[in-house]
Amino acid sequence: MRRLRDLDPRTRTQVGIVAFVLTPGLVLGAGLGTASYALTRAIRAEAPSCQPVSVQGPLQNSFTLNVLNAGAKPGAAGDVLKELPLRSFKAGAARNDGEPRPVVGTGEIRYGADGLDQALVTQKILLPEARLVLDAREGTTVDLVLGPSFTQLSPHDGPLVRRDDVIVNIYNTTYFEGLGKKTADDMAGLGFRLGAVGLDPKNAWIQTEAAVRYGPDGERQAKLVNEAVPGSTMQLDPDIEGSKVDLLIGMKWTGVSPADKLPKEAPKKPLTRIEVVRPCKR
């Protein structure tokens, strides 16, 4: 490379002019770059960071919860819907999901602009793995959507059904008088709630110890009655609606189980609001 002093006078003059013109621009460009970098860092430092907010969520019986099947086993939405009242949720409708897009994983919890806290309560209590999905609905109604990986809801704190949740009709199918009233008093002593007491309106005649008759929505309740009556058998009756249970006293009746032979039930906890965390808005 030729040095500046080796150039002829005319060329040296031209090089000097170019250097005089370019040098301030180079210095100014470097300064502007430094200033821009410093300003960007200052703006970022002053911008408030996004933080989630903890709030008390609404009671689960204060909003309607629908259950949609989007790839879970057949009948899963109906089964979950029956369980909702046992968890103090206000059950809406059960149906298949109508969205054209597929649902992956455990499922989704869909909600509108006014239903974020309701969706968070649903997610925390019932299905923490479900994804929250905001849609255009109005109000606080929430949809619990069961995906192909769904198997069951999160475990409940305590039993879903206690003896004091079960309404039992006591029907004497024998010709021994007084068994209905005595059995009703004994079942009430165990904590069951009494319905009708008398003769069986369906005229059954039980020749064994006893039978526990229940409908499609009363299996959990019937199991508690069956547990309290040693030797009783379970009878599913599709015509029975709701969760009431019929205890049919049979010809070989020996009485209900003593209270100390049954599992001790903890007192039912009052329904309270739970804390949920609203995700930060970006």
Side-chain angles (χ1 to χ4, degrees):
M1 179 181 293
R2 299 176 63 185
R3 292 176 294 180
L4 181 61
R5 65 184 182 181
D6 296 332
L7 300 175
D8 62 83
R10 183 177 179 181
T11 302
R12 287 201 302 270
T13 301
Q14 291 176 345
V15 170
I17 293 174
V18 171
F20 176 78
V21 172
L22 292 181
T23 298
L26 294 173
V27 174
L28 179 60
L32 287 176
T34 302
S36 175
Y37 175 74
L39 180 60
T40 300
R41 291 197 61 181
I43 291 175
R44 289 177 178 174
E46 293 178 0
S49 60
C50 178
Q51 296 293 336
V53 179
S54 296
V55 298
Q56 291 295 313
L59 293 174
Q60 56 260 46
N61 63 359
S62 66
F63 61 94
T64 299
L65 181 60
N66 301 313
V67 185
L68 281 60
N69 193 332
K73 67 177 183 179
D79 292 341
V80 169
L81 191 77
K82 294 176 184 178
E83 191 172 324
L84 294 184
L86 305 179
R87 293 173 177 256
S88 299
F89 279 88
K90 184 179 179 181
R95 61 181 184 274
N96 290 326
D97 184 30
E99 289 290 330
R101 62 176 178 80
V103 173
V104 298
T106 303
E108 298 177 350
I109 298 172
R110 299 174 189 162
Y111 65 99
D114 297 327
L116 173 60
D117 291 348
Q118 288 77 6
L120 291 171
V121 166
T122 302
Q123 182 187 49
K124 186 171 184 177
I125 296 178
L126 298 182
L127 205 59
E129 302 87 0
R131 186 169 65 97
L132 294 177
V133 177
L134 175 65
D135 58 26
R137 77 183 63 199
E138 296 181 354
T140 59
T141 298
V142 174
D143 291 346
L144 175 60
V145 187
L146 310 179
S149 299
F150 173 81
T151 54
Q152 62 181 6
L153 300 177
S154 295
H156 185 259
D157 183 16
L160 287 174
V161 178
R162 291 174 168 81
R163 289 190 287 272
D164 61 1
D165 296 321
V166 182
I167 300 176
V168 188
N169 300 316
I170 311 294
Y171 295 136
N172 185 1
T173 74
T174 77
Y175 45 74
F176 302 112
E177 296 183 359
L179 287 183
K181 177 64 169 61
K182 175 65 168 59
T183 302
D185 292 341
D186 292 343
M187 293 295 285
L190 295 178
F192 291 95
R193 297 161 58 191
L194 297 179
V197 179
L199 300 177
D200 180 25
K202 295 192 175 184
N203 298 317
W205 184 35
I206 306 300
Q207 301 184 50
T208 57
E209 175 82 18
V212 180
R213 190 170 59 196
Y214 63 99
D217 297 336
E219 183 176 3
R220 288 187 176 90
Q221 292 78 0
K223 286 181 177 179
L224 290 182
V225 176
N226 176 249
E227 180 182 61
V229 182
S232 61
T233 59
M234 302 271 286
Q235 291 186 357
L236 173 61
D237 187 338
D239 295 331
I240 296 179
E241 297 180 356
S243 59
K244 287 185 178 181
V245 177
D246 297 339
L247 174 57
L248 308 177
I249 300 172
M251 294 296 294
K252 296 182 180 181
W253 177 256
T254 58
V256 303
S257 178
D260 59 359
K261 298 297 184 181
L262 295 178
K264 188 176 182 180
E265 293 183 330
K268 184 181 296 186
K269 295 180 181 179
L271 185 61
T272 58
R273 300 170 67 184
I274 65 171
E275 185 178 89
V276 295
V277 180
R278 294 174 182 167
C280 59
K281 298 180 179 180
R282 297 186 180 275

